[in-house]
Amino acid sequence: MAYMDKTSNFPETILTVLKDVLPKDRKFIPLHEPKFNGKEIEYVTACIDSTFVSSVGKYVDKFEKMLEEYTGVKKAVAVMNGTSALHIALKLANVRQGDEVIMPALTFVATANAVSYLQAVPHFADIDEKRLGIDPVKLKEYLEDIGDIREEECYNKKTGKRIKAVLPVHVFGHPAELDFLNAICEKFKLTLIEDAAESLGSFYKGRHTGNWGKLSALSFNGNKIITTGAGGAILTNDETLGIQAKHITTTAKNPHKWNFSHNQIGYNYRMPNINATLGCAQLERLEYFVEKKRTLAKRYMTAFNEIDGVRFVAEPEDSRSNYWLNTILLDKKHANLRDLILKTTNTAGIMTRPAWKLMPSLPMYEHCPGMDLTVAEKMEKRIINIPSSADL
């Protein structure tokens, strides 16, 4: 379909494109909602009948095994949410009080919060305009300027603190440039930890995200590509770390039929069995969800290619994205229309939203270290997420 009105009323043109792509029989279309059309009810009922609905039960073990098989990692540990997964991943990577952890300025607040739980310091990096994740070229140049390698560790020349890790985020499901980031970590003696909360079903150069870092974190929140209601998982190819992750997320309790004995400070982060039932049923249909979402993304791409002043954010050529949240990027000349577009679409019953506010703009993180954020600052004002549910 040709879109004739390209300049006179840009917000209405965007709305017209969305209406043409999306179903016509719905009064309200949310940004992303779960779809329960598999064996969810069957598994939940079996779990309730078993009475094992809390931290013990077969569905947690089954869910973890299914995650390992799908992603290709050696160990998956199911936990209460993505933030707790990231918290433990950072802890097991030996991030300590006062350490700096490099992450993109454009991310959900949980990325920075998990670092703060360890009394470590978020350190913000600029982003790549195509992938929306950390720009590795800019990061390499930045570390060459501020990084000081001493005794096989990297220190910030400006703050004197140890820079322990790089925490890339696969923003909206698009994989970050992981091989380049891995090379940077090797050169500067840093640990790569992936925030893969949004990227279940996404692959970088043929390998699932979560396989590149020492540890990684997934999220199964209600708005993710599969959901356990609330939930997350720690992924690792280090079996020793995987065993330790499972131990400390279950209050560090020593195995015994009746005695309660704990050998270190642990966390009550274990995913309940009843939540894992949803995860098993959802994971059985993950590839179906991914293909439906990729089909929707292609329809958006075709439609928005006809419009001047806006670009649909497509997967990088070296990746297969799950297109968790479909995204359009306004041209600079239309950036001032973002809020009007949001108002126009939401008023019409089509839910859209802006990107997250940049982390350094939040009061608790405004004094954290970081590089020049020119690209992130410009992109934040131009990003709009559009409806992305698998059944659209």
Side-chain angles (χ1 to χ4, degrees):
M1 177 177 181
Y3 299 98
M4 303 303 294
D5 182 9
K6 297 182 180 180
T7 57
S8 62
N9 194 339
F10 193 66
E12 288 294 335
T13 300
I14 297 296
L15 177 60
T16 298
V17 176
L18 293 174
K19 284 183 174 180
D20 286 345
V21 172
L22 295 168
K24 309 293 190 294
D25 58 347
R26 303 187 188 185
K27 292 183 179 180
F28 174 71
I29 299 179
L31 191 69
H32 197 289
E33 62 181 351
K35 190 70 175 178
F36 301 113
N37 53 9
K39 296 183 178 180
E40 289 88 355
I41 293 176
E42 176 185 336
Y43 292 167
V44 169
T45 300
C47 180
I48 292 172
D49 288 344
S50 76
T51 73
F52 289 96
V53 298
S54 191
S55 58
V56 176
K58 68 177 184 179
Y59 286 103
V60 175
D61 296 334
K62 179 180 178 180
F63 184 50
E64 290 173 340
K65 184 65 175 177
M66 292 174 71
L67 284 172
E68 291 164 4
E69 291 174 352
Y70 183 85
T71 63
V73 300
K74 292 181 179 178
K75 197 70 176 177
V77 178
V79 292
M80 293 173 62
N81 51 55
T83 309
S84 59
L86 197 53
H87 176 202
I88 297 303
L90 290 160
K91 181 177 178 64
L92 291 176
N94 198 31
V95 173
R96 302 193 300 259
Q97 181 177 352
D99 285 346
E100 295 178 5
V101 176
I102 295 173
M103 67 184 66
L106 181 71
T107 184
F108 182 55
V109 70
T111 311
N113 285 347
V115 171
S116 300
Y117 295 164
L118 295 166
Q119 299 183 37
V121 181
H123 186 145
F124 299 114
D126 206 2
I127 64 172
D128 177 288
E129 186 165 337
K130 184 175 182 181
R131 295 176 184 270
L132 306 181
I134 292 177
D135 183 336
V137 174
K138 197 168 181 179
L139 176 61
K140 181 175 181 290
E141 293 173 352
Y142 177 68
L143 286 171
E144 287 171 347
D145 179 42
I146 65 109
D148 178 24
I149 307 299
R150 287 184 267 140
E151 298 180 354
E152 295 298 300
E153 292 189 318
C154 184
Y155 288 84
N156 187 334
K157 292 178 183 177
K158 296 181 178 180
T159 66
K161 296 181 182 294
R162 181 175 71 158
I163 305 175
K164 176 58 182 174
V166 175
L167 184 57
V169 179
H170 308 306
V171 178
F172 307 140
H174 300 302
E177 200 165 354
L178 289 164
D179 55 353
F180 197 164
L181 290 171
N182 234 337
I184 291 171
C185 287
E186 290 178 9
K187 178 177 180 179
F188 291 96
K189 313 302 179 183
L190 304 170
T191 303
L192 184 71
I193 305 166
E194 294 176 61
D195 183 342
E198 303 164 14
S199 66
L200 182 64
S202 295
F203 290 77
Y204 175 74
K205 295 188 174 180
R207 291 172 62 192
H208 195 282
T209 55
N211 272 282
W212 301 75
K214 187 172 187 177
L215 298 119
S216 306
L218 294 175
S219 171
F220 311 118
N221 187 38
N223 67 349
K224 295 300 189 294
I225 189 165
I226 71 166
T227 185
T228 55
I234 302 158
L235 305 181
T236 184
N237 285 308
D238 185 322
E239 293 191 18
T240 300
L241 283 178
I243 292 169
Q244 180 67 358
K246 195 160 189 175
H247 182 59
I248 66 172
T249 56
T250 52
T251 67
K253 182 179 181 294
N254 294 318
H256 196 278
K257 288 186 176 180
W258 58 82
N259 280 337
F260 285 88
S261 174
H262 308 261
N263 61 4
Q264 66 183 101
I265 295 173
Y267 301 85
N268 194 13
Y269 282 175
R270 187 77 165 137
M271 177 182 283
N273 196 43
I274 197 165
N275 291 82
T277 63
L278 294 178
C280 292
Q282 291 267 290
L283 199 50
E284 289 173 352
R285 294 181 58 75
L286 174 57
E287 273 303 301
Y288 169 81
F289 294 152
V290 171
E291 289 307 315
K292 297 291 279 187
K293 288 167 69 63
R294 289 177 59 80
T295 298
L296 176 62
K298 289 177 183 177
R299 294 180 63 190
Y300 276 136
M301 195 180 311
T302 299
F304 279 107
N305 279 346
E306 298 187 37
I307 307 299
D308 293 329
V310 63
R311 171 173 70 87
F312 181 80
V313 178
E315 66 189 0
E317 293 179 358
D318 55 16
S319 303
R320 186 191 84 156
S321 176
N322 66 7
Y323 284 102
W324 170 56
L325 284 185
N326 287 301
T327 306
I328 57 175
L329 181 67
L330 305 178
D331 286 357
K332 294 177 183 178
K333 65 181 179 181
H334 289 117
N336 64 322
L337 294 175
R338 185 201 66 176
D339 289 350
L340 184 55
I341 292 169
L342 293 169
K343 181 178 180 181
T344 300
T345 52
N346 281 281
T347 299
I350 296 176
M351 187 177 178
T352 58
R353 78 172 192 196
W356 313 286
K357 291 184 180 296
L358 297 187
M359 292 299 99
S361 71
L362 303 180
M364 60 282 199
Y365 296 125
E366 61 184 1
H367 299 300
C368 291
M371 66 168 70
D372 169 75
L373 301 175
T374 300
V375 175
E377 289 167 351
K378 291 179 179 178
M379 295 278 285
E380 176 199 14
K381 302 172 184 177
R382 297 159 51 204
I383 289 172
I384 297 177
N385 293 130
I386 55 180
S388 304
S389 302
D391 67 341
L392 296 178

